[in-house]
Structure formats: C-alpha cells, structure tokens
Amino acid sequence: MKKIISFLRFLVVRLLCFLEIGLKFCLFLPILLFMVWFNYKVDISGLFQGELAPRQVANLLLEGKNVSDYDKMDERQVLQLYAQNLDKAPDTVALGSSRVLQLTEGLVGGSYFNAGISGAGAMDIMNIWYLFEREDKLPENLILCVDPWLFNPDPDLNKNADTELFAEFLEKGLGIAADYEEPDTVALWKALVDPAYFQGNVTYYLKQKESGVVQTEDGGSIPFHALANGSLGTLEYAAKRADGSVQYPLSFCTWNYDQVMAEVLAQAGTLNAMHGFEQMDAYWTDLFVRFVEHVQQKGVNVVFLLTPYHPFIALHVYNNPQGFTGFFEVEPWVREFAAGHGIPVYGSYHAGRVGIQESMFFDGVHCKPEALRLMFPGIDEALAGGQTAYETMYLATYGGTENSANALIGYDANCVVVDADWLAQAEAATPGP
C-alpha cells in the first residue's frame, strides 16, 4: 500500500512539474513569437525580406509612389520583392527590356504594372514571370515586348539573369529537367530565433525610428525616396514611376536632332545583341513557344508588342545585312506564331510599318511614349483586336506603299515621311492618357 501511495505521489509531483514547465513556456511563448516576427519583419541582413535598398524601392512602389534614382536600382531584386509582397495581382503586367519601359498605365488602362528591366534576355523574361507565378499573383493579361535578341543564342545576353531561379522555373513551371535542387533553408530560419540577430534588429529599428531616415545595416545612406507626380518631368536623373515604367532625365528627353542622331549612329555601329545573329536559335525558339503556351494555359491573355527601331537603324541593317539574318527572321516568325495562337500583335521593328516618325525616338532603340500611344490602343481594345485611330488612318492613307503595310525588317529600308498636316490631324484623332 505504501508503495502505491509513493508511486502516486511521484506521479503527482511529476505532473505538477510538467504543468509548471508548460506554464512557464506559455508565458515565454509570446516573447518567442514576437522575436520571430520582429526578426522576419526588420531583417537588417535581408535574409527573408531582401536587402534594405531594393526593399525600400519595392515598398514605395507597393505604396503607389514614384521612386527616385532608377539608375542605381537592382531591378531584379526590386521585382522579386515587389512580387513577394504584392497583396493583389494587377490586371495587366508588361514584360520586356528597357524598350518596354515607356509603356505606362495611362497607355494600357486598368490596374497595371510594368515589370520590364534594362537589358532583359529570354531568361530574365521567364524568371520575372515566374516571380509572379510562384507567389500565385498572376495577372489577367500579359503584354510581352518581344525583342529580337530573345532568339539569339549568345550566352552573354543572359549573363545577369538568376540561373537558379531559371532552373526552378524550367522544372516547376515548364516541367523540363534542369538539375534544380531545393535550397537548404534550415540554417537560414535559425536566424529567426537568434537572440543576437534580434538585438541587431532592435538596435537598427530604434535608430531608424529616431532619425526617420532609412539606412543600410552599416549606417550607409539609401538614395531611393518618394517623388511627386508633378516633379518627374523636370528631374535630371531617371525615376521609376509607381506603375513600374521609367521617366528619363530631362536632359535626355530634350535632346535635339543632332544629339539624337549622334547616339543613333553610335548604336548602329554596335547594335548589341544583334551583330553575328545569323539565325533564330532552335533551343530558345522552342523555349519561347513553351513559355507562351504555358502562360496561356494559366488562363492569361497574351499580347505581343514589337517596339520599333529608329529608321536609320532599319536603313543600316538593310544596307549591311551580313550578320543580321537572324534578326530579319524574327518579326515574320513572331507574326506567324501569334496568328496560330490567337495573340494580337502591335507595333513593328520597322518604324515605317506603323507610321512612327524619326521625331518619336529618344535614340536608336527606344521610342517615346507618344509613339506607343499611336501604336497601342490599350489593353481592352487590344484584346478585342482593335486598332488605334492613328493606325487606322495611317494604313488607309499610306498602307499601299512599300514601306508601310508590307514593311518587315530586312525587306525595305526607309520610314514613310508623312505629310505634316495629316500627321497633326491623325495624332489629334488618337486620344492619349
């Protein structure tokens, strides 16, 4: 009997001990949870939220603000953090290189974000799409700026892209074996309960709150700050608008004819991503097809945009066709592929096909927003297969000439120079943002 009583007393003591431990743990649990939450949200080393500088840009964009110092941004990190923290996908997303960055929300209509980045190659395009797909933030519509170098096999065109992210997309998105390995995140997540990391985050947070200035972990300045809409056109540096598009510096936007042509001549001599482009690469062409079909299978509407090159660039490649044969192949192939997949196509690499005049270019490869306004009717009209009033009038007036309706890059050279009075009337008939 004594043994039974002793055993029961032992069990009671043990139970009370466990209850005491559990009670203390419950009292400590809120502190532990707060530490985890605080380390994740402040995250001075960028383990979970990304580095502080691109995080500042992404946060401002998510707040609907224009951001300063576009030229200093790590565009790929900014887009990753933007997609990661997006509450709701925009109706329309644009992808492409800097040649799409003048496509604004006013030109597109509806809820819109321009996810283009400078120098984007095929790998970048698919990576950026996958950032939205991975977060389950797919738009209803995708405007894809199809640059000719997307089909160029030159490996330098993808040298800045995230190869691990690309391998993940190939395997998880397209179902193509790519030797992708899931990263080991155990050590990373241990930082959430690390008292030393918590102390560093607290110190940084209090210092930032006291100064009111966002800084790097080591106290360095972060140049990015919000800008008012009215100030964008007067800045002497490039800025990123809240919709992801880019406002160039005033000094660049106001170049005179001689300054523009000097840059055009320099670009004609280099034509990055096109010299030595002998033919469309089979691998990248097949991957482009798979990518577009994958997007359509997700229920997303696709629109192709071909932004034109300066007429002198078209003249240059026409007169010097050696090494440009791959470039000449792209637009006819894109139009044929689009027709077979029910994809509307707007614009052309040849300015004469869409009536874009020399004055509508910043330089040899970037057209101005007014050129896009004349070519692109907005997303709703584009999905319905409509044209802008300008394009309708242009084709009616000049469509029978060699350099407009039938113009494809490599087939002819010059841009149609339209009558000045006609141009003014046609531009006025095409509403702008």
Side-chain angles (χ1 to χ4, degrees), residues 272-299:
N272 293 336
M274 290 198 289
H275 272 301
F277 182 14
E278 298 289 350
Q279 63 180 16
M280 293 175 64
D281 181 72
Y283 172 78
W284 288 110
T285 302
D286 176 67
L287 208 54
F288 179 87
V289 171
R290 293 191 184 203
F291 169 66
V292 173
E293 291 177 345
H294 171 76
V295 173
Q296 290 184 309
Q297 288 167 4
K298 292 288 184 179

mmCIF file of all heavy atoms in Angstrom, residues 272-299:
data_model
loop_
_atom_site.group_PDB
_atom_site.id
_atom_site.type_symbol
_atom_site.label_atom_id
_atom_site.label_comp_id
_atom_site.label_asym_id
_atom_site.label_seq_id
_atom_site.Cartn_x
_atom_site.Cartn_y
_atom_site.Cartn_z
ATOM 1 N N ASN A 272 24.102 46.046 -80.001
ATOM 2 C CA ASN A 272 24.267 44.947 -79.058
ATOM 3 C C ASN A 272 23.167 43.917 -79.216
ATOM 4 O O ASN A 272 22.005 44.253 -79.418
ATOM 5 C CB ASN A 272 24.255 45.495 -77.625
ATOM 6 C CG ASN A 272 25.458 46.356 -77.349
ATOM 7 O OD1 ASN A 272 26.488 46.211 -77.995
ATOM 8 N ND2 ASN A 272 25.330 47.263 -76.390
ATOM 9 N N ALA A 273 23.537 42.675 -79.149
ATOM 10 C CA ALA A 273 22.629 41.523 -79.206
ATOM 11 C C ALA A 273 22.156 41.193 -80.612
ATOM 12 O O ALA A 273 21.363 40.283 -80.793
ATOM 13 C CB ALA A 273 21.403 41.748 -78.308
ATOM 14 N N MET A 274 22.664 41.925 -81.623
ATOM 15 C CA MET A 274 22.216 41.609 -82.987
ATOM 16 C C MET A 274 23.371 41.331 -83.942
ATOM 17 O O MET A 274 23.193 40.614 -84.919
ATOM 18 C CB MET A 274 21.337 42.730 -83.523
ATOM 19 C CG MET A 274 19.994 42.790 -82.828
ATOM 20 S SD MET A 274 18.763 43.732 -83.743
ATOM 21 C CE MET A 274 19.382 45.395 -83.540
ATOM 22 N N HIS A 275 24.547 41.879 -83.715
ATOM 23 C CA HIS A 275 25.676 41.563 -84.576
ATOM 24 C C HIS A 275 26.025 40.076 -84.434
ATOM 25 O O HIS A 275 26.119 39.548 -83.334
ATOM 26 C CB HIS A 275 26.898 42.415 -84.178
ATOM 27 C CG HIS A 275 26.929 43.738 -84.868
ATOM 28 N ND1 HIS A 275 26.956 43.859 -86.227
ATOM 29 C CD2 HIS A 275 26.926 45.006 -84.385
ATOM 30 C CE1 HIS A 275 26.985 45.141 -86.563
ATOM 31 N NE2 HIS A 275 26.952 45.861 -85.458
ATOM 32 N N GLY A 276 26.198 39.407 -85.549
ATOM 33 C CA GLY A 276 26.516 37.989 -85.521
ATOM 34 C C GLY A 276 25.328 37.098 -85.249
ATOM 35 O O GLY A 276 25.483 35.890 -85.033
ATOM 36 N N PHE A 277 24.134 37.656 -85.274
ATOM 37 C CA PHE A 277 22.899 36.895 -85.055
ATOM 38 C C PHE A 277 22.498 36.281 -86.400
ATOM 39 O O PHE A 277 21.718 36.839 -87.163
ATOM 40 C CB PHE A 277 21.829 37.839 -84.517
ATOM 41 C CG PHE A 277 20.499 37.209 -84.185
ATOM 42 C CD1 PHE A 277 20.351 35.826 -84.082
ATOM 43 C CD2 PHE A 277 19.396 38.003 -83.945
ATOM 44 C CE1 PHE A 277 19.138 35.262 -83.776
ATOM 45 C CE2 PHE A 277 18.163 37.452 -83.638
ATOM 46 C CZ PHE A 277 18.035 36.079 -83.554
ATOM 47 N N GLU A 278 23.067 35.119 -86.700
ATOM 48 C CA GLU A 278 22.926 34.518 -88.031
ATOM 49 C C GLU A 278 21.568 33.870 -88.267
ATOM 50 O O GLU A 278 21.035 33.895 -89.370
ATOM 51 C CB GLU A 278 24.026 33.470 -88.250
ATOM 52 C CG GLU A 278 25.438 34.043 -88.222
ATOM 53 C CD GLU A 278 25.758 34.898 -89.443
ATOM 54 O OE1 GLU A 278 24.943 34.894 -90.395
ATOM 55 O OE2 GLU A 278 26.790 35.582 -89.439
ATOM 56 N N GLN A 279 20.992 33.265 -87.202
ATOM 57 C CA GLN A 279 19.680 32.639 -87.355
ATOM 58 C C GLN A 279 19.033 32.450 -85.996
ATOM 59 O O GLN A 279 19.717 32.448 -84.963
ATOM 60 C CB GLN A 279 19.791 31.284 -88.059
ATOM 61 C CG GLN A 279 20.595 30.245 -87.306
ATOM 62 C CD GLN A 279 20.673 28.922 -88.053
ATOM 63 O OE1 GLN A 279 20.392 28.847 -89.249
ATOM 64 N NE2 GLN A 279 21.046 27.873 -87.356
ATOM 65 N N MET A 280 17.718 32.322 -85.978
ATOM 66 C CA MET A 280 16.997 32.088 -84.736
ATOM 67 C C MET A 280 17.424 30.745 -84.150
ATOM 68 O O MET A 280 17.419 29.730 -84.836
ATOM 69 C CB MET A 280 15.488 32.109 -84.993
ATOM 70 C CG MET A 280 14.941 33.468 -85.395
ATOM 71 S SD MET A 280 13.176 33.427 -85.824
ATOM 72 C CE MET A 280 12.450 32.941 -84.251
ATOM 73 N N ASP A 281 17.790 30.753 -82.900
ATOM 74 C CA ASP A 281 18.292 29.558 -82.237
ATOM 75 C C ASP A 281 17.145 28.591 -81.926
ATOM 76 O O ASP A 281 16.100 29.000 -81.394
ATOM 77 C CB ASP A 281 19.006 29.957 -80.943
ATOM 78 C CG ASP A 281 19.582 28.768 -80.215
ATOM 79 O OD1 ASP A 281 20.575 28.213 -80.702
ATOM 80 O OD2 ASP A 281 19.012 28.390 -79.172
ATOM 81 N N ALA A 282 17.337 27.323 -82.240
ATOM 82 C CA ALA A 282 16.273 26.325 -82.073
ATOM 83 C C ALA A 282 15.872 26.164 -80.604
ATOM 84 O O ALA A 282 14.684 26.045 -80.278
ATOM 85 C CB ALA A 282 16.721 24.980 -82.651
ATOM 86 N N TYR A 283 16.873 26.160 -79.694
ATOM 87 C CA TYR A 283 16.576 25.956 -78.274
ATOM 88 C C TYR A 283 15.740 27.106 -77.720
ATOM 89 O O TYR A 283 14.696 26.889 -77.091
ATOM 90 C CB TYR A 283 17.875 25.819 -77.478
ATOM 91 C CG TYR A 283 17.668 25.801 -75.982
ATOM 92 C CD1 TYR A 283 17.227 24.652 -75.332
ATOM 93 C CD2 TYR A 283 17.898 26.945 -75.217
ATOM 94 C CE1 TYR A 283 17.020 24.636 -73.959
ATOM 95 C CE2 TYR A 283 17.695 26.944 -73.841
ATOM 96 C CZ TYR A 283 17.250 25.789 -73.217
ATOM 97 O OH TYR A 283 17.046 25.793 -71.864
ATOM 98 N N TRP A 284 16.180 28.347 -77.958
ATOM 99 C CA TRP A 284 15.477 29.486 -77.382
ATOM 100 C C TRP A 284 14.137 29.719 -78.070
ATOM 101 O O TRP A 284 13.180 30.198 -77.446
ATOM 102 C CB TRP A 284 16.349 30.735 -77.436
ATOM 103 C CG TRP A 284 17.479 30.678 -76.457
ATOM 104 C CD1 TRP A 284 18.805 30.531 -76.719
ATOM 105 C CD2 TRP A 284 17.355 30.718 -75.027
ATOM 106 N NE1 TRP A 284 19.532 30.474 -75.550
ATOM 107 C CE2 TRP A 284 18.663 30.591 -74.495
ATOM 108 C CE3 TRP A 284 16.287 30.853 -74.149
ATOM 109 C CZ2 TRP A 284 18.921 30.599 -73.132
ATOM 110 C CZ3 TRP A 284 16.544 30.854 -72.780
ATOM 111 C CH2 TRP A 284 17.837 30.731 -72.289
ATOM 112 N N THR A 285 14.039 29.356 -79.347
ATOM 113 C CA THR A 285 12.752 29.469 -80.032
ATOM 114 C C THR A 285 11.748 28.484 -79.450
ATOM 115 O O THR A 285 10.598 28.830 -79.171
ATOM 116 C CB THR A 285 12.916 29.220 -81.541
ATOM 117 O OG1 THR A 285 13.851 30.172 -82.081
ATOM 118 C CG2 THR A 285 11.588 29.359 -82.268
ATOM 119 N N ASP A 286 12.186 27.248 -79.237
ATOM 120 C CA ASP A 286 11.312 26.240 -78.643
ATOM 121 C C ASP A 286 10.903 26.644 -77.231
ATOM 122 O O ASP A 286 9.744 26.470 -76.836
ATOM 123 C CB ASP A 286 12.021 24.888 -78.626
ATOM 124 C CG ASP A 286 11.194 23.814 -77.931
ATOM 125 O OD1 ASP A 286 10.135 23.439 -78.466
ATOM 126 O OD2 ASP A 286 11.609 23.360 -76.835
ATOM 127 N N LEU A 287 11.851 27.190 -76.466
ATOM 128 C CA LEU A 287 11.551 27.592 -75.095
ATOM 129 C C LEU A 287 10.575 28.763 -75.075
ATOM 130 O O LEU A 287 9.688 28.832 -74.206
ATOM 131 C CB LEU A 287 12.850 27.976 -74.370
ATOM 132 C CG LEU A 287 12.855 27.784 -72.848
ATOM 133 C CD1 LEU A 287 12.472 26.362 -72.473
ATOM 134 C CD2 LEU A 287 14.230 28.122 -72.284
ATOM 135 N N PHE A 288 10.712 29.691 -76.023
ATOM 136 C CA PHE A 288 9.766 30.801 -76.139
ATOM 137 C C PHE A 288 8.356 30.260 -76.391
ATOM 138 O O PHE A 288 7.383 30.707 -75.772
ATOM 139 C CB PHE A 288 10.196 31.734 -77.274
ATOM 140 C CG PHE A 288 9.268 32.893 -77.500
ATOM 141 C CD1 PHE A 288 9.422 34.073 -76.793
ATOM 142 C CD2 PHE A 288 8.238 32.802 -78.427
ATOM 143 C CE1 PHE A 288 8.559 35.146 -76.998
ATOM 144 C CE2 PHE A 288 7.373 33.869 -78.639
ATOM 145 C CZ PHE A 288 7.533 35.043 -77.923
ATOM 146 N N VAL A 289 8.247 29.305 -77.295
ATOM 147 C CA VAL A 289 6.942 28.700 -77.599
ATOM 148 C C VAL A 289 6.355 28.051 -76.346
ATOM 149 O O VAL A 289 5.174 28.260 -76.009
ATOM 150 C CB VAL A 289 7.080 27.660 -78.725
ATOM 151 C CG1 VAL A 289 5.787 26.863 -78.892
ATOM 152 C CG2 VAL A 289 7.464 28.340 -80.037
ATOM 153 N N ARG A 290 7.155 27.274 -75.646
ATOM 154 C CA ARG A 290 6.672 26.605 -74.431
ATOM 155 C C ARG A 290 6.252 27.617 -73.373
ATOM 156 O O ARG A 290 5.252 27.425 -72.671
ATOM 157 C CB ARG A 290 7.762 25.687 -73.875
ATOM 158 C CG ARG A 290 8.098 24.492 -74.753
ATOM 159 C CD ARG A 290 8.964 23.529 -73.985
ATOM 160 N NE ARG A 290 9.405 22.403 -74.774
ATOM 161 C CZ ARG A 290 9.775 21.238 -74.266
ATOM 162 N NH1 ARG A 290 9.735 21.050 -72.954
ATOM 163 N NH2 ARG A 290 10.168 20.244 -75.049
ATOM 164 N N PHE A 291 7.030 28.665 -73.252
ATOM 165 C CA PHE A 291 6.724 29.696 -72.251
ATOM 166 C C PHE A 291 5.385 30.359 -72.546
ATOM 167 O O PHE A 291 4.521 30.475 -71.661
ATOM 168 C CB PHE A 291 7.841 30.736 -72.219
ATOM 169 C CG PHE A 291 7.496 31.972 -71.428
ATOM 170 C CD1 PHE A 291 7.294 31.907 -70.061
ATOM 171 C CD2 PHE A 291 7.365 33.204 -72.062
ATOM 172 C CE1 PHE A 291 6.960 33.035 -69.339
ATOM 173 C CE2 PHE A 291 7.045 34.340 -71.351
ATOM 174 C CZ PHE A 291 6.837 34.260 -69.984
ATOM 175 N N VAL A 292 5.185 30.800 -73.784
ATOM 176 C CA VAL A 292 3.943 31.487 -74.141
ATOM 177 C C VAL A 292 2.749 30.548 -73.985
ATOM 178 O O VAL A 292 1.696 30.942 -73.454
ATOM 179 C CB VAL A 292 4.023 32.049 -75.569
ATOM 180 C CG1 VAL A 292 2.670 32.610 -76.006
ATOM 181 C CG2 VAL A 292 5.098 33.126 -75.658
ATOM 182 N N GLU A 293 2.899 29.311 -74.411
ATOM 183 C CA GLU A 293 1.803 28.350 -74.266
ATOM 184 C C GLU A 293 1.519 28.072 -72.795
ATOM 185 O O GLU A 293 0.353 27.886 -72.398
ATOM 186 C CB GLU A 293 2.141 27.063 -75.013
ATOM 187 C CG GLU A 293 2.144 27.229 -76.528
ATOM 188 C CD GLU A 293 2.542 25.972 -77.278
ATOM 189 O OE1 GLU A 293 3.099 25.045 -76.635
ATOM 190 O OE2 GLU A 293 2.320 25.910 -78.507
ATOM 191 N N HIS A 294 2.554 28.050 -71.969
ATOM 192 C CA HIS A 294 2.386 27.871 -70.525
ATOM 193 C C HIS A 294 1.583 29.016 -69.930
ATOM 194 O O HIS A 294 0.666 28.796 -69.119
ATOM 195 C CB HIS A 294 3.762 27.787 -69.861
ATOM 196 C CG HIS A 294 3.737 27.822 -68.372
ATOM 197 N ND1 HIS A 294 3.364 26.746 -67.596
ATOM 198 C CD2 HIS A 294 4.042 28.820 -67.495
ATOM 199 C CE1 HIS A 294 3.436 27.065 -66.317
ATOM 200 N NE2 HIS A 294 3.843 28.321 -66.224
ATOM 201 N N VAL A 295 1.900 30.241 -70.324
ATOM 202 C CA VAL A 295 1.167 31.414 -69.838
ATOM 203 C C VAL A 295 -0.298 31.327 -70.257
ATOM 204 O O VAL A 295 -1.205 31.579 -69.449
ATOM 205 C CB VAL A 295 1.815 32.707 -70.374
ATOM 206 C CG1 VAL A 295 0.960 33.918 -70.029
ATOM 207 C CG2 VAL A 295 3.220 32.884 -69.809
ATOM 208 N N GLN A 296 -0.549 30.963 -71.495
ATOM 209 C CA GLN A 296 -1.928 30.846 -71.968
ATOM 210 C C GLN A 296 -2.685 29.733 -71.233
ATOM 211 O O GLN A 296 -3.872 29.878 -70.936
ATOM 212 C CB GLN A 296 -1.949 30.587 -73.476
ATOM 213 C CG GLN A 296 -1.508 31.782 -74.316
ATOM 214 C CD GLN A 296 -1.628 31.518 -75.805
ATOM 215 O OE1 GLN A 296 -1.148 30.509 -76.310
ATOM 216 N NE2 GLN A 296 -2.268 32.420 -76.520
ATOM 217 N N GLN A 297 -1.988 28.651 -70.925
ATOM 218 C CA GLN A 297 -2.623 27.549 -70.195
ATOM 219 C C GLN A 297 -3.025 27.960 -68.782
ATOM 220 O O GLN A 297 -3.914 27.354 -68.179
ATOM 221 C CB GLN A 297 -1.688 26.347 -70.155
ATOM 222 C CG GLN A 297 -1.551 25.632 -71.496
ATOM 223 C CD GLN A 297 -0.399 24.653 -71.526
ATOM 224 O OE1 GLN A 297 0.286 24.425 -70.527
ATOM 225 N NE2 GLN A 297 -0.157 24.057 -72.695
ATOM 226 N N LYS A 298 -2.368 28.995 -68.263
ATOM 227 C CA LYS A 298 -2.725 29.536 -66.952
ATOM 228 C C LYS A 298 -3.958 30.428 -67.020
ATOM 229 O O LYS A 298 -4.398 30.978 -66.002
ATOM 230 C CB LYS A 298 -1.546 30.341 -66.380
ATOM 231 C CG LYS A 298 -0.330 29.506 -66.005
ATOM 232 C CD LYS A 298 -0.581 28.680 -64.765
ATOM 233 C CE LYS A 298 0.655 27.922 -64.326
ATOM 234 N NZ LYS A 298 0.417 27.121 -63.094
ATOM 235 N N GLY A 299 -4.509 30.584 -68.219
ATOM 236 C CA GLY A 299 -5.701 31.411 -68.392
ATOM 237 C C GLY A 299 -5.399 32.885 -68.547
ATOM 238 O O GLY A 299 -6.304 33.723 -68.396
#
